[in-house]
Amino acid sequence: MDTSHLAEHAGTAGVLFASIFVVATTTMRTMIPLRIFGILANTVLIIKAIPTHNYLVMLVQSVMLCVNSYRLHRMLQLVRDVRKSVNSDLSMEWLKPFMTERQCTAGEILFYKDEKAEDMLYIVSGKFKLVEAGIVLPVGAIVGELGMLSPSNMRTQSLECVEAGLILSVSYSKVEELYVQNPAFGFYFLRLASARLFQNINTLEQRLAQQIAAASAAPKTA
């Protein structure tokens, strides 16, 4: 068989496969399948461009291949981090890459009770207090993650900066974007938020039990 015809048939097949993958990417509703099909399309187009020495196509598709591979890795890493957090200490450090820094000064009120909640905060340094409850939050604490799931999205406490420090914030819209892009992330985020909610309820029940025990012991002491 003539090698020119063989190359022509191979090129046609390559275009066909690449077209199938490109069309498939337009039907994807979530990011992980989209990135996978994008990588397949990039690979086929690079292979197709090699026999014809089309260096421009090879360069462009190589760049796209790197971008798609990096984005796929980030999304898979995000899902793994959330899954690990659900099964361990309920930390939300996996959200750090999507957060923005904010320096706070002593006496600053970050938000007020009954205010509209639009983001959640991660404490990096300093001291912060929930005013109504009188609770000082430790470094590494997350504030406001449950406001995203509440029907009213209202703050239930005021947050004051007691000692100057650094916080990281992420908007609910960003979390929602990650949720929509990857159903697996959304599932694990809901599990994480639910686990933190039950943890808070358990803490309140323990405090209530201690108060009841103290109240019942008071008359005996008198």
Side-chain angles (χ1 to χ4, degrees):
M1 181 180 290
D2 190 350
T3 55
S4 62
H5 287 294
L6 182 61
E8 181 180 348
H9 290 310
T12 303
V15 172
L16 177 61
F17 279 113
S19 299
I20 291 173
F21 290 134
V22 170
V23 171
T25 59
T26 63
T27 65
M28 300 292 105
R29 296 185 177 180
T30 54
M31 289 304 296
I32 289 181
L34 174 63
R35 296 299 181 186
I36 291 174
F37 274 90
I39 289 171
L40 292 174
N42 299 145
T43 303
V44 170
L45 289 172
I46 291 172
I47 294 174
K48 174 186 173 296
I50 292 175
T52 59
H53 304 289
N54 194 332
Y55 298 112
L56 179 59
V57 171
M58 292 168 61
L59 175 62
V60 171
Q61 294 303 317
S62 296
V63 172
M64 292 299 296
L65 177 62
C66 293
V67 171
N68 281 323
S69 299
Y70 173 73
R71 294 298 184 185
L72 177 62
H73 170 73
R74 285 288 300 273
M75 189 58 67
L76 292 174
Q77 183 64 49
L78 178 63
V79 173
R80 285 194 295 268
D81 289 345
V82 178
R83 185 187 294 117
K84 180 180 178 181
S85 184
V86 169
N87 295 325
S88 58
D89 59 357
L90 302 182
S91 170
M92 286 193 175
E93 289 201 9
W94 43 270
L95 269 177
K96 278 187 175 181
F98 306 97
M99 293 178 141
T100 55
E101 292 187 359
R102 176 179 172 184
Q103 292 285 348
C104 301
T105 58
E108 179 181 354
I109 302 296
L110 280 74
F111 55 76
Y112 292 91
K113 182 180 179 181
D114 297 328
E115 187 176 82
K116 185 71 173 179
E118 297 180 347
D119 57 4
M120 50 186 172
L121 312 175
Y122 179 90
I123 299 176
V124 179
S125 62
K127 286 187 179 180
F128 297 82
K129 182 175 69 174
L130 294 172
V131 178
E132 287 75 15
I135 299 174
V136 177
L137 300 172
V139 170
I142 281 280
V143 186
E145 80 280 6
L146 297 179
M148 177 180 173
L149 303 177
S150 66
S152 60
N153 290 126
M154 304 298 287
R155 302 289 190 189
T156 59
Q157 298 274 334
S158 300
L159 182 66
E160 179 184 2
C161 177
V162 178
E163 182 181 296
L166 175 68
I167 64 169
L168 301 176
S169 65
V170 60
S171 66
Y172 291 159
S173 59
K174 183 61 181 179
V175 177
E176 289 171 357
E177 177 185 333
L178 295 171
Y179 182 103
V180 171
Q181 288 179 352
N182 190 344
F185 164 80
F187 172 73
Y188 285 111
F189 179 79
L190 287 176
R191 284 188 60 186
L192 179 62
S194 299
R196 291 179 66 88
L197 177 60
F198 284 118
Q199 185 183 64
N200 292 343
I201 292 174
N202 183 58
T203 301
L204 291 174
E205 289 178 342
Q206 290 178 354
R207 290 181 180 177
L208 180 60
Q210 292 173 356
Q211 292 176 357
I212 293 175
S216 61
K220 296 179 182 179
T221 303

